[in-house]
PDB file of all heavy atoms in Angstrom:
ATOM      1  N   VAL A 549    -175.145 -66.234  10.541  1.00  0.00           N
ATOM      2  CA  VAL A 549    -174.730 -67.591  10.887  1.00  0.00           C
ATOM      3  C   VAL A 549    -173.321 -67.714  10.920  1.00  0.00           C
ATOM      4  O   VAL A 549    -172.606 -67.441  10.038  1.00  0.00           O
ATOM      5  CB  VAL A 549    -175.450 -68.533   9.794  1.00  0.00           C
ATOM      6  CG1 VAL A 549    -174.975 -70.041  10.100  1.00  0.00           C
ATOM      7  CG2 VAL A 549    -176.958 -68.371   9.675  1.00  0.00           C
ATOM      8  N   GLN A 550    -172.976 -68.167  12.147  1.00  0.00           N
ATOM      9  CA  GLN A 550    -171.495 -68.505  12.287  1.00  0.00           C
ATOM     10  C   GLN A 550    -171.390 -70.038  12.084  1.00  0.00           C
ATOM     11  O   GLN A 550    -171.915 -70.763  12.896  1.00  0.00           O
ATOM     12  CB  GLN A 550    -170.983 -68.147  13.788  1.00  0.00           C
ATOM     13  CG  GLN A 550    -170.419 -66.793  13.739  1.00  0.00           C
ATOM     14  CD  GLN A 550    -171.350 -65.742  14.477  1.00  0.00           C
ATOM     15  OE1 GLN A 550    -172.357 -66.240  15.273  1.00  0.00           O
ATOM     16  NE2 GLN A 550    -171.077 -64.559  14.316  1.00  0.00           N
ATOM     17  N   HIS A 551    -170.698 -70.461  11.052  1.00  0.00           N
ATOM     18  CA  HIS A 551    -170.666 -71.866  10.755  1.00  0.00           C
ATOM     19  C   HIS A 551    -169.899 -72.654  11.788  1.00  0.00           C
ATOM     20  O   HIS A 551    -168.908 -72.170  12.345  1.00  0.00           O
ATOM     21  CB  HIS A 551    -169.911 -72.088   9.309  1.00  0.00           C
ATOM     22  CG  HIS A 551    -170.738 -71.514   8.140  1.00  0.00           C
ATOM     23  ND1 HIS A 551    -172.141 -71.699   8.089  1.00  0.00           N
ATOM     24  CD2 HIS A 551    -170.432 -70.868   7.093  1.00  0.00           C
ATOM     25  CE1 HIS A 551    -172.541 -71.226   6.938  1.00  0.00           C
ATOM     26  NE2 HIS A 551    -171.580 -70.606   6.328  1.00  0.00           N
ATOM     27  N   LYS A 552    -170.351 -73.827  11.965  1.00  0.00           N
ATOM     28  CA  LYS A 552    -169.640 -74.888  12.838  1.00  0.00           C
ATOM     29  C   LYS A 552    -169.379 -74.320  14.247  1.00  0.00           C
ATOM     30  O   LYS A 552    -168.343 -74.596  14.830  1.00  0.00           O
ATOM     31  CB  LYS A 552    -168.277 -75.239  12.142  1.00  0.00           C
ATOM     32  CG  LYS A 552    -168.613 -75.888  10.758  1.00  0.00           C
ATOM     33  CD  LYS A 552    -167.375 -75.993   9.890  1.00  0.00           C
ATOM     34  CE  LYS A 552    -167.651 -76.421   8.499  1.00  0.00           C
ATOM     35  NZ  LYS A 552    -166.501 -76.301   7.612  1.00  0.00           N
ATOM     36  N   ARG A 553    -170.394 -73.522  14.723  1.00  0.00           N
ATOM     37  CA  ARG A 553    -170.269 -72.965  15.994  1.00  0.00           C
ATOM     38  C   ARG A 553    -170.369 -74.094  17.081  1.00  0.00           C
ATOM     39  O   ARG A 553    -171.273 -74.966  16.991  1.00  0.00           O
ATOM     40  CB  ARG A 553    -171.245 -71.905  16.271  1.00  0.00           C
ATOM     41  CG  ARG A 553    -171.256 -71.193  17.526  1.00  0.00           C
ATOM     42  CD  ARG A 553    -172.145 -70.000  17.379  1.00  0.00           C
ATOM     43  NE  ARG A 553    -172.310 -69.277  18.694  1.00  0.00           N
ATOM     44  CZ  ARG A 553    -173.040 -68.194  18.894  1.00  0.00           C
ATOM     45  NH1 ARG A 553    -173.786 -67.678  17.896  1.00  0.00           N
ATOM     46  NH2 ARG A 553    -173.130 -67.577  20.046  1.00  0.00           N
ATOM     47  N   GLY A 554    -169.516 -74.029  18.047  1.00  0.00           N
ATOM     48  CA  GLY A 554    -169.591 -74.953  19.250  1.00  0.00           C
ATOM     49  C   GLY A 554    -168.870 -76.296  19.020  1.00  0.00           C
ATOM     50  O   GLY A 554    -168.910 -77.169  19.849  1.00  0.00           O
ATOM     51  N   TYR A 555    -168.153 -76.378  17.871  1.00  0.00           N
ATOM     52  CA  TYR A 555    -167.393 -77.548  17.689  1.00  0.00           C
ATOM     53  C   TYR A 555    -166.299 -77.760  18.684  1.00  0.00           C
ATOM     54  O   TYR A 555    -165.543 -76.845  19.008  1.00  0.00           O
ATOM     55  CB  TYR A 555    -166.643 -77.539  16.232  1.00  0.00           C
ATOM     56  CG  TYR A 555    -167.459 -77.939  15.074  1.00  0.00           C
ATOM     57  CD1 TYR A 555    -168.922 -77.842  15.172  1.00  0.00           C
ATOM     58  CD2 TYR A 555    -166.938 -78.510  13.918  1.00  0.00           C
ATOM     59  CE1 TYR A 555    -169.664 -78.305  14.099  1.00  0.00           C
ATOM     60  CE2 TYR A 555    -167.665 -78.813  12.866  1.00  0.00           C
ATOM     61  CZ  TYR A 555    -169.018 -78.819  12.884  1.00  0.00           C
ATOM     62  OH  TYR A 555    -169.796 -79.173  11.765  1.00  0.00           O
ATOM     63  N   ASP A 556    -166.151 -78.845  19.326  1.00  0.00           N
ATOM     64  CA  ASP A 556    -165.120 -79.229  20.212  1.00  0.00           C
ATOM     65  C   ASP A 556    -163.946 -79.802  19.427  1.00  0.00           C
ATOM     66  O   ASP A 556    -163.969 -80.913  18.787  1.00  0.00           O
ATOM     67  CB  ASP A 556    -165.577 -80.339  21.248  1.00  0.00           C
ATOM     68  CG  ASP A 556    -164.496 -80.552  22.278  1.00  0.00           C
ATOM     69  OD1 ASP A 556    -163.336 -80.341  22.062  1.00  0.00           O
ATOM     70  OD2 ASP A 556    -164.905 -81.271  23.303  1.00  0.00           O
ATOM     71  N   LEU A 557    -162.822 -79.095  19.224  1.00  0.00           N
ATOM     72  CA  LEU A 557    -161.743 -79.398  18.352  1.00  0.00           C
ATOM     73  C   LEU A 557    -160.781 -80.381  18.949  1.00  0.00           C
ATOM     74  O   LEU A 557    -159.772 -80.674  18.369  1.00  0.00           O
ATOM     75  CB  LEU A 557    -161.046 -78.060  17.914  1.00  0.00           C
ATOM     76  CG  LEU A 557    -161.935 -77.124  17.200  1.00  0.00           C
ATOM     77  CD1 LEU A 557    -161.216 -75.847  16.833  1.00  0.00           C
ATOM     78  CD2 LEU A 557    -162.516 -77.795  15.919  1.00  0.00           C
ATOM     79  N   THR A 558    -161.113 -80.937  20.086  1.00  0.00           N
ATOM     80  CA  THR A 558    -160.280 -82.057  20.556  1.00  0.00           C
ATOM     81  C   THR A 558    -160.981 -83.344  20.077  1.00  0.00           C
ATOM     82  O   THR A 558    -160.314 -84.382  20.279  1.00  0.00           O
ATOM     83  CB  THR A 558    -160.263 -82.081  22.103  1.00  0.00           C
ATOM     84  OG1 THR A 558    -161.646 -82.157  22.659  1.00  0.00           O
ATOM     85  CG2 THR A 558    -159.722 -80.781  22.724  1.00  0.00           C
ATOM     86  N   GLU A 559    -162.075 -83.366  19.472  1.00  0.00           N
ATOM     87  CA  GLU A 559    -162.727 -84.464  18.894  1.00  0.00           C
ATOM     88  C   GLU A 559    -162.429 -84.705  17.470  1.00  0.00           C
ATOM     89  O   GLU A 559    -162.581 -83.669  16.679  1.00  0.00           O
ATOM     90  CB  GLU A 559    -164.331 -84.405  19.185  1.00  0.00           C
ATOM     91  CG  GLU A 559    -164.646 -84.307  20.535  1.00  0.00           C
ATOM     92  CD  GLU A 559    -166.250 -84.127  20.756  1.00  0.00           C
ATOM     93  OE1 GLU A 559    -166.870 -84.039  19.641  1.00  0.00           O
ATOM     94  OE2 GLU A 559    -166.758 -84.203  21.759  1.00  0.00           O
ATOM     95  N   ILE A 560    -162.072 -85.821  17.123  1.00  0.00           N
ATOM     96  CA  ILE A 560    -161.652 -86.150  15.679  1.00  0.00           C
ATOM     97  C   ILE A 560    -162.841 -85.812  14.768  1.00  0.00           C
ATOM     98  O   ILE A 560    -162.699 -85.365  13.569  1.00  0.00           O
ATOM     99  CB  ILE A 560    -161.044 -87.552  15.603  1.00  0.00           C
ATOM    100  CG1 ILE A 560    -160.478 -87.696  14.157  1.00  0.00           C
ATOM    101  CG2 ILE A 560    -162.141 -88.555  15.895  1.00  0.00           C
ATOM    102  CD1 ILE A 560    -159.378 -86.829  13.795  1.00  0.00           C
ATOM    103  N   LYS A 561    -164.136 -86.145  15.229  1.00  0.00           N
ATOM    104  CA  LYS A 561    -165.203 -85.934  14.387  1.00  0.00           C
ATOM    105  C   LYS A 561    -165.304 -84.420  13.982  1.00  0.00           C
ATOM    106  O   LYS A 561    -165.638 -84.079  12.840  1.00  0.00           O
ATOM    107  CB  LYS A 561    -166.534 -86.365  15.113  1.00  0.00           C
ATOM    108  CG  LYS A 561    -167.834 -86.054  14.367  1.00  0.00           C
ATOM    109  CD  LYS A 561    -168.978 -86.501  15.200  1.00  0.00           C
ATOM    110  CE  LYS A 561    -169.300 -85.736  16.411  1.00  0.00           C
ATOM    111  NZ  LYS A 561    -170.448 -85.965  16.987  1.00  0.00           N
ATOM    112  N   SER A 562    -165.189 -83.586  14.895  1.00  0.00           N
ATOM    113  CA  SER A 562    -165.189 -82.085  14.681  1.00  0.00           C
ATOM    114  C   SER A 562    -164.125 -81.701  13.726  1.00  0.00           C
ATOM    115  O   SER A 562    -164.232 -80.825  12.767  1.00  0.00           O
ATOM    116  CB  SER A 562    -165.091 -81.357  15.946  1.00  0.00           C
ATOM    117  OG  SER A 562    -166.362 -81.642  16.826  1.00  0.00           O
ATOM    118  N   ILE A 563    -162.891 -82.191  13.936  1.00  0.00           N
ATOM    119  CA  ILE A 563    -161.730 -81.798  13.138  1.00  0.00           C
ATOM    120  C   ILE A 563    -162.023 -82.249  11.703  1.00  0.00           C
ATOM    121  O   ILE A 563    -161.710 -81.422  10.684  1.00  0.00           O
ATOM    122  CB  ILE A 563    -160.408 -82.464  13.607  1.00  0.00           C
ATOM    123  CG1 ILE A 563    -160.173 -81.998  15.099  1.00  0.00           C
ATOM    124  CG2 ILE A 563    -159.280 -82.213  12.729  1.00  0.00           C
ATOM    125  CD1 ILE A 563    -159.057 -82.829  15.804  1.00  0.00           C
ATOM    126  N   VAL A 564    -162.506 -83.405  11.408  1.00  0.00           N
ATOM    127  CA  VAL A 564    -162.740 -83.836  10.061  1.00  0.00           C
ATOM    128  C   VAL A 564    -163.868 -82.970   9.482  1.00  0.00           C
ATOM    129  O   VAL A 564    -163.686 -82.536   8.312  1.00  0.00           O
ATOM    130  CB  VAL A 564    -163.064 -85.379  10.107  1.00  0.00           C
ATOM    131  CG1 VAL A 564    -163.518 -85.842   8.677  1.00  0.00           C
ATOM    132  CG2 VAL A 564    -162.001 -86.205  10.573  1.00  0.00           C
ATOM    133  N   PHE A 565    -165.006 -82.923  10.087  1.00  0.00           N
ATOM    134  CA  PHE A 565    -166.199 -82.160   9.622  1.00  0.00           C
ATOM    135  C   PHE A 565    -165.908 -80.725   9.389  1.00  0.00           C
ATOM    136  O   PHE A 565    -166.580 -80.056   8.663  1.00  0.00           O
ATOM    137  CB  PHE A 565    -167.427 -82.477  10.444  1.00  0.00           C
ATOM    138  CG  PHE A 565    -168.078 -83.800  10.102  1.00  0.00           C
ATOM    139  CD1 PHE A 565    -168.109 -84.727  11.043  1.00  0.00           C
ATOM    140  CD2 PHE A 565    -168.459 -84.123   8.800  1.00  0.00           C
ATOM    141  CE1 PHE A 565    -168.687 -86.029  10.860  1.00  0.00           C
ATOM    142  CE2 PHE A 565    -169.052 -85.347   8.585  1.00  0.00           C
ATOM    143  CZ  PHE A 565    -169.167 -86.304   9.589  1.00  0.00           C
ATOM    144  N   ASN A 566    -164.884 -80.189  10.092  1.00  0.00           N
ATOM    145  CA  ASN A 566    -164.514 -78.771   9.963  1.00  0.00           C
ATOM    146  C   ASN A 566    -164.009 -78.573   8.614  1.00  0.00           C
ATOM    147  O   ASN A 566    -163.972 -77.329   8.126  1.00  0.00           O
ATOM    148  CB  ASN A 566    -163.362 -78.468  10.997  1.00  0.00           C
ATOM    149  CG  ASN A 566    -163.582 -77.110  11.540  1.00  0.00           C
ATOM    150  OD1 ASN A 566    -164.662 -76.564  11.694  1.00  0.00           O
ATOM    151  ND2 ASN A 566    -162.505 -76.536  12.072  1.00  0.00           N
ATOM    152  N   GLU A 567    -163.647 -79.628   7.834  1.00  0.00           N
ATOM    153  CA  GLU A 567    -163.082 -79.380   6.531  1.00  0.00           C
ATOM    154  C   GLU A 567    -164.230 -79.356   5.421  1.00  0.00           C
ATOM    155  O   GLU A 567    -163.949 -79.074   4.303  1.00  0.00           O
ATOM    156  CB  GLU A 567    -162.154 -80.520   6.130  1.00  0.00           C
ATOM    157  CG  GLU A 567    -160.854 -80.498   6.924  1.00  0.00           C
ATOM    158  CD  GLU A 567    -160.222 -79.149   6.945  1.00  0.00           C
ATOM    159  OE1 GLU A 567    -159.994 -78.655   5.835  1.00  0.00           O
ATOM    160  OE2 GLU A 567    -159.955 -78.592   8.007  1.00  0.00           O
ATOM    161  N   ILE A 568    -165.463 -79.506   5.733  1.00  0.00           N
ATOM    162  CA  ILE A 568    -166.530 -79.368   4.834  1.00  0.00           C
ATOM    163  C   ILE A 568    -166.688 -77.795   4.547  1.00  0.00           C
ATOM    164  O   ILE A 568    -166.866 -77.066   5.415  1.00  0.00           O
ATOM    165  CB  ILE A 568    -167.800 -79.893   5.424  1.00  0.00           C
ATOM    166  CG1 ILE A 568    -167.718 -81.413   5.619  1.00  0.00           C
ATOM    167  CG2 ILE A 568    -168.930 -79.658   4.377  1.00  0.00           C
ATOM    168  CD1 ILE A 568    -168.897 -81.991   6.299  1.00  0.00           C
ATOM    169  N   GLU A 569    -166.570 -77.488   3.266  1.00  0.00           N
ATOM    170  CA  GLU A 569    -166.687 -76.091   2.847  1.00  0.00           C
ATOM    171  C   GLU A 569    -168.142 -75.542   2.928  1.00  0.00           C
ATOM    172  O   GLU A 569    -168.989 -76.254   2.202  1.00  0.00           O
ATOM    173  CB  GLU A 569    -166.083 -75.823   1.478  1.00  0.00           C
ATOM    174  CG  GLU A 569    -164.530 -75.972   1.544  1.00  0.00           C
ATOM    175  CD  GLU A 569    -163.874 -75.168   0.418  1.00  0.00           C
ATOM    176  OE1 GLU A 569    -163.778 -73.950   0.442  1.00  0.00           O
ATOM    177  OE2 GLU A 569    -163.409 -75.938  -0.498  1.00  0.00           O
ATOM    178  N   MET A 570    -168.328 -74.523   3.521  1.00  0.00           N
ATOM    179  CA  MET A 570    -169.705 -73.890   3.647  1.00  0.00           C
ATOM    180  C   MET A 570    -169.763 -72.653   2.858  1.00  0.00           C
ATOM    181  O   MET A 570    -168.655 -72.045   2.612  1.00  0.00           O
ATOM    182  CB  MET A 570    -170.026 -73.663   5.040  1.00  0.00           C
ATOM    183  CG  MET A 570    -169.989 -74.828   6.072  1.00  0.00           C
ATOM    184  SD  MET A 570    -171.278 -76.085   5.636  1.00  0.00           S
ATOM    185  CE  MET A 570    -172.691 -75.241   6.349  1.00  0.00           C
ATOM    186  N   PRO A 571    -170.906 -72.181   2.326  1.00  0.00           N
ATOM    187  CA  PRO A 571    -170.966 -71.007   1.605  1.00  0.00           C
ATOM    188  C   PRO A 571    -170.586 -69.769   2.533  1.00  0.00           C
ATOM    189  O   PRO A 571    -171.123 -69.726   3.638  1.00  0.00           O
ATOM    190  CB  PRO A 571    -172.401 -70.939   1.136  1.00  0.00           C
ATOM    191  CG  PRO A 571    -173.154 -71.846   2.120  1.00  0.00           C
ATOM    192  CD  PRO A 571    -172.192 -72.830   2.442  1.00  0.00           C
ATOM    193  N   LEU A 572    -169.797 -68.912   2.022  1.00  0.00           N
ATOM    194  CA  LEU A 572    -169.322 -67.649   2.867  1.00  0.00           C
ATOM    195  C   LEU A 572    -169.798 -66.415   1.982  1.00  0.00           C
ATOM    196  O   LEU A 572    -169.544 -66.437   0.819  1.00  0.00           O
ATOM    197  CB  LEU A 572    -167.941 -67.619   3.110  1.00  0.00           C
ATOM    198  CG  LEU A 572    -167.276 -68.822   3.707  1.00  0.00           C
ATOM    199  CD1 LEU A 572    -165.777 -68.538   3.929  1.00  0.00           C
ATOM    200  CD2 LEU A 572    -167.846 -69.225   5.041  1.00  0.00           C
ATOM    201  N   ASN A 573    -170.382 -65.493   2.584  1.00  0.00           N
ATOM    202  CA  ASN A 573    -170.601 -64.199   1.847  1.00  0.00           C
ATOM    203  C   ASN A 573    -169.817 -63.019   2.569  1.00  0.00           C
ATOM    204  O   ASN A 573    -169.881 -61.871   2.076  1.00  0.00           O
ATOM    205  CB  ASN A 573    -172.008 -63.947   1.517  1.00  0.00           C
ATOM    206  CG  ASN A 573    -172.883 -63.728   2.757  1.00  0.00           C
ATOM    207  OD1 ASN A 573    -172.391 -63.665   3.916  1.00  0.00           O
ATOM    208  ND2 ASN A 573    -174.268 -63.885   2.622  1.00  0.00           N
ATOM    209  N   TYR A 574    -169.341 -63.211   3.657  1.00  0.00           N
ATOM    210  CA  TYR A 574    -168.339 -62.303   4.202  1.00  0.00           C
ATOM    211  C   TYR A 574    -167.357 -63.011   5.228  1.00  0.00           C
ATOM    212  O   TYR A 574    -167.624 -64.136   5.578  1.00  0.00           O
ATOM    213  CB  TYR A 574    -169.112 -61.186   4.916  1.00  0.00           C
ATOM    214  CG  TYR A 574    -169.551 -61.425   6.322  1.00  0.00           C
ATOM    215  CD1 TYR A 574    -168.821 -60.995   7.428  1.00  0.00           C
ATOM    216  CD2 TYR A 574    -170.735 -62.113   6.620  1.00  0.00           C
ATOM    217  CE1 TYR A 574    -169.246 -61.235   8.744  1.00  0.00           C
ATOM    218  CE2 TYR A 574    -171.157 -62.395   7.910  1.00  0.00           C
ATOM    219  CZ  TYR A 574    -170.408 -61.895   8.958  1.00  0.00           C
ATOM    220  OH  TYR A 574    -170.776 -62.218  10.249  1.00  0.00           O
ATOM    221  N   CYS A 575    -166.339 -62.233   5.637  1.00  0.00           N
ATOM    222  CA  CYS A 575    -165.452 -62.771   6.570  1.00  0.00           C
ATOM    223  C   CYS A 575    -165.206 -61.817   7.690  1.00  0.00           C
ATOM    224  O   CYS A 575    -164.918 -60.623   7.543  1.00  0.00           O
ATOM    225  CB  CYS A 575    -164.052 -62.996   5.918  1.00  0.00           C
ATOM    226  SG  CYS A 575    -164.091 -64.145   4.484  1.00  0.00           S
ATOM    227  N   GLY A 576    -165.262 -62.343   8.999  1.00  0.00           N
ATOM    228  CA  GLY A 576    -165.187 -61.548  10.096  1.00  0.00           C
ATOM    229  C   GLY A 576    -163.744 -60.740  10.211  1.00  0.00           C
ATOM    230  O   GLY A 576    -162.761 -61.492   9.901  1.00  0.00           O
ATOM    231  N   TRP A 577    -163.817 -59.493  10.514  1.00  0.00           N
ATOM    232  CA  TRP A 577    -162.421 -58.805  10.568  1.00  0.00           C
ATOM    233  C   TRP A 577    -161.684 -59.080  11.763  1.00  0.00           C
ATOM    234  O   TRP A 577    -160.811 -58.281  12.106  1.00  0.00           O
ATOM    235  CB  TRP A 577    -162.711 -57.315  10.301  1.00  0.00           C
ATOM    236  CG  TRP A 577    -163.058 -57.051   8.886  1.00  0.00           C
ATOM    237  CD1 TRP A 577    -162.995 -57.921   7.841  1.00  0.00           C
ATOM    238  CD2 TRP A 577    -163.329 -55.800   8.317  1.00  0.00           C
ATOM    239  NE1 TRP A 577    -163.185 -57.212   6.704  1.00  0.00           N
ATOM    240  CE2 TRP A 577    -163.397 -55.933   6.934  1.00  0.00           C
ATOM    241  CE3 TRP A 577    -163.457 -54.501   8.853  1.00  0.00           C
ATOM    242  CZ2 TRP A 577    -163.699 -54.898   6.018  1.00  0.00           C
ATOM    243  CZ3 TRP A 577    -163.766 -53.427   8.019  1.00  0.00           C
ATOM    244  CH2 TRP A 577    -163.822 -53.674   6.558  1.00  0.00           C
ATOM    245  N   TRP A 578    -161.994 -60.109  12.586  1.00  0.00           N
ATOM    246  CA  TRP A 578    -161.113 -60.496  13.722  1.00  0.00           C
ATOM    247  C   TRP A 578    -159.835 -61.066  13.052  1.00  0.00           C
ATOM    248  O   TRP A 578    -158.786 -61.051  13.679  1.00  0.00           O
ATOM    249  CB  TRP A 578    -161.732 -61.425  14.705  1.00  0.00           C
ATOM    250  CG  TRP A 578    -162.456 -62.647  14.017  1.00  0.00           C
ATOM    251  CD1 TRP A 578    -161.742 -63.777  13.579  1.00  0.00           C
ATOM    252  CD2 TRP A 578    -163.784 -62.910  13.802  1.00  0.00           C
ATOM    253  NE1 TRP A 578    -162.679 -64.659  13.134  1.00  0.00           N
ATOM    254  CE2 TRP A 578    -163.885 -64.085  13.203  1.00  0.00           C
ATOM    255  CE3 TRP A 578    -164.871 -62.072  14.011  1.00  0.00           C
ATOM    256  CZ2 TRP A 578    -165.181 -64.687  12.845  1.00  0.00           C
ATOM    257  CZ3 TRP A 578    -166.140 -62.626  13.605  1.00  0.00           C
ATOM    258  CH2 TRP A 578    -166.176 -63.977  13.066  1.00  0.00           C
ATOM    259  N   TYR A 579    -160.014 -61.633  11.829  1.00  0.00           N
ATOM    260  CA  TYR A 579    -158.859 -62.172  11.060  1.00  0.00           C
ATOM    261  C   TYR A 579    -159.241 -62.374   9.642  1.00  0.00           C
ATOM    262  O   TYR A 579    -160.069 -63.243   9.307  1.00  0.00           O
ATOM    263  CB  TYR A 579    -158.252 -63.473  11.605  1.00  0.00           C
ATOM    264  CG  TYR A 579    -156.930 -63.799  10.963  1.00  0.00           C
ATOM    265  CD1 TYR A 579    -155.710 -63.467  11.576  1.00  0.00           C
ATOM    266  CD2 TYR A 579    -156.822 -64.455   9.705  1.00  0.00           C
ATOM    267  CE1 TYR A 579    -154.444 -63.805  10.994  1.00  0.00           C
ATOM    268  CE2 TYR A 579    -155.597 -64.691   9.097  1.00  0.00           C
ATOM    269  CZ  TYR A 579    -154.490 -64.380   9.773  1.00  0.00           C
ATOM    270  OH  TYR A 579    -153.258 -64.680   9.234  1.00  0.00           O
ATOM    271  N   CYS A 580    -158.896 -61.466   8.839  1.00  0.00           N
ATOM    272  CA  CYS A 580    -159.395 -61.518   7.427  1.00  0.00           C
ATOM    273  C   CYS A 580    -158.247 -61.029   6.506  1.00  0.00           C
ATOM    274  O   CYS A 580    -157.821 -59.795   6.636  1.00  0.00           O
ATOM    275  CB  CYS A 580    -160.606 -60.662   7.181  1.00  0.00           C
ATOM    276  SG  CYS A 580    -161.199 -60.442   5.519  1.00  0.00           S
TER     277      CYS A 580
END
Side-chain angles (χ1 to χ4, degrees):
V549 176
Q550 271 106 17
H551 293 315
K552 302 165 187 173
R553 186 171 175 177
Y555 276 26
D556 183 343
L557 298 178
T558 62
E559 297 179 352
I560 188 62
K561 177 178 70 173
S562 295
I563 298 167
V564 175
F565 282 116
N566 222 23
E567 292 311 307
I568 298 175
E569 288 202 75
M570 304 293 286
L572 310 179
N573 57 17
Y574 84 98
C575 303
W577 281 359
W578 53 79
Y579 191 96
C580 176

